[in-house]
Amino acid sequence: QVTLKESGPVLVKPTETLTLTCTVSGFSLSNARVGVSWIRQPPGKALEWLAHIFSNDEESYSTSLKSRLTISKDTSKSQVVLTMTNMDPVDTATYYCARIKALAGNDYWGQGTLVTVSS
Amino acid sequence: NFMLTQPHSVSESPGKTVTISCTGSSGSIVNNYVQWYQQRPGSAPTTVIYEDKQRPSGVPDRFSGSIDSPSNSASLTISGLKTEDEADYYCQSYDSSNGNWVFGGGTKLTVL
C-alpha cells in the first residue's frame, strides 16, 4: 500500500525558510522511473507544481520559484525534503507531496499540510 | 510558458453525461501525457485518468479521457453522473520546453 505523508511547521514568519518532509511507504525512492513531487494549493485556488526529484537524483523546479526551492531525498529514510526560502504571506497554502511515475503524472498523493505565513 | 485552460465551472443533472475540456496554449498537447485529478472539498486530489485515457484501478469506467489534436485539447467525460462526482477537476501535463509540470486552473463540477 503506497502512502505519503507531509510534515513540517504549520506557521512560519515572513522571510523565514520553510522545510517540509515527505515520508513515503509502500515503495522505494530507489525504484526506477519513480520520484516525488511537491505541489501546493493556496486556499480556494488551483494546484501549483513546485518541484520533483527522481530515483536517479534528477531534480526539476518551477521556473518561477526556482531561486527559492531546494529538493533532496534520503532513500534510507524514505524521505523527500523541500525547502523554500524567504517565505511570504502569499506562500500560505496546503503543500502536498505526491508520487510521480516518469511522465505519467502523480498517482498517489499525501493528505497535505497547511502552512500559514504570518508574523 | 505552456498553459492549460479549463472552464471555471460546469453543471449537469444526475444520470447525465458531462465533458470537461483542457486546452493547451501552445505546442501540441499530444506530445505529452495528460492526467486528470478529482478533488473533493477538504480532501487531497486523487487520480481519475493518467496517460491521456488510462483509469487507475478503482476508478469506475464512467470516467474516460481523450485527446483531440486539431483543437489541441484533452477532455474528461463522466457519464451516469452521481452526486458523489461533485468535485473540482484538474488537468495536468508536462512542458517539455522547461521541464515544468503544468496544472489547469480547475473546473468545479456541480451535480444538481
Side-chain angles (χ1 to χ4, degrees):
Chain A
Q1 177 188 1
V2 173
T3 64
L4 303 95
K5 186 168 186 177
E6 306 87 352
S7 58
V10 296
L11 180 67
V12 297
K13 292 181 168 55
T15 75
E16 287 186 341
T17 294
L18 171 67
T19 299
L20 294 172
T21 300
C22 177
T23 303
V24 310
S25 63
F27 71 100
S28 171
L29 294 174
S30 62
N31 286 4
R33 298 168 60 81
V34 166
V36 171
S37 305
W38 283 97
I39 295 150
R40 71 178 179 179
Q41 184 174 37
K45 296 189 177 181
L47 300 168
E48 178 185 19
W49 175 79
L50 300 176
H52 71 230
I53 187 166
F54 278 103
S55 55
N56 61 357
D57 290 328
E58 173 198 332
E59 302 167 18
S60 187
Y61 297 97
S62 165
T63 301
S64 60
L65 294 168
K66 185 172 184 176
S67 63
R68 299 173 54 203
L69 297 173
T70 303
I71 193 170
S72 63
K73 66 180 176 68
D74 185 330
T75 301
S76 65
K77 292 183 178 180
S78 295
Q79 292 181 334
V80 174
V81 175
L82 180 77
T83 62
M84 179 180 291
T85 60
N86 195 25
M87 293 292 285
D88 184 271
V90 300
D91 297 313
T92 293
T94 296
Y95 287 76
Y96 297 99
C97 62
R99 191 175 79 164
I100 182 172
K101 293 186 72 176
L103 293 182
N106 303 104
D107 55 357
Y108 291 94
W109 294 65
Q111 64 190 20
T113 184
L114 175 62
V115 178
T116 300
V117 184
S118 174
S119 54
Chain B
N1 288 344
F2 181 65
M3 295 173 55
L4 295 171
T5 300
Q6 301 179 232
H8 181 69
S9 63
V10 296
S11 63
E12 190 50 270
S13 303
K16 299 291 189 180
T17 296
V18 70
T19 297
I20 299 171
S21 62
C22 171
T23 303
S25 61
S26 61
S28 177
I29 205 164
V30 301
N31 288 344
N32 290 296
Y33 288 128
V34 174
Q35 284 63 241
W36 289 91
Y37 303 100
Q38 177 191 67
Q39 186 178 35
R40 294 190 173 106
S43 297
T46 61
T47 307
V48 292
I49 294 289
Y50 67 98
E51 292 181 354
D52 296 341
K53 58 183 180 181
Q54 305 301 318
R55 273 190 317 275
S57 60
V59 174
D61 60 5
R62 301 185 296 106
F63 290 80
S64 63
S66 64
I67 299 291
D68 182 67
S69 297
S71 62
N72 204 36
S73 65
S75 293
L76 172 69
T77 298
I78 310 171
S79 60
L81 276 169
K82 301 183 177 184
T83 54
E84 68 200 47
D85 298 330
E86 193 162 281
D88 293 327
Y89 291 84
Y90 293 91
C91 60
Q92 178 206 48
S93 191
Y94 183 70
D95 184 352
S96 301
S97 69
N98 60 11
N100 281 202
W101 288 89
V102 179
F103 287 94
T107 298
K108 181 177 180 60
L109 169 63
T110 302
V111 182
L112 39 62

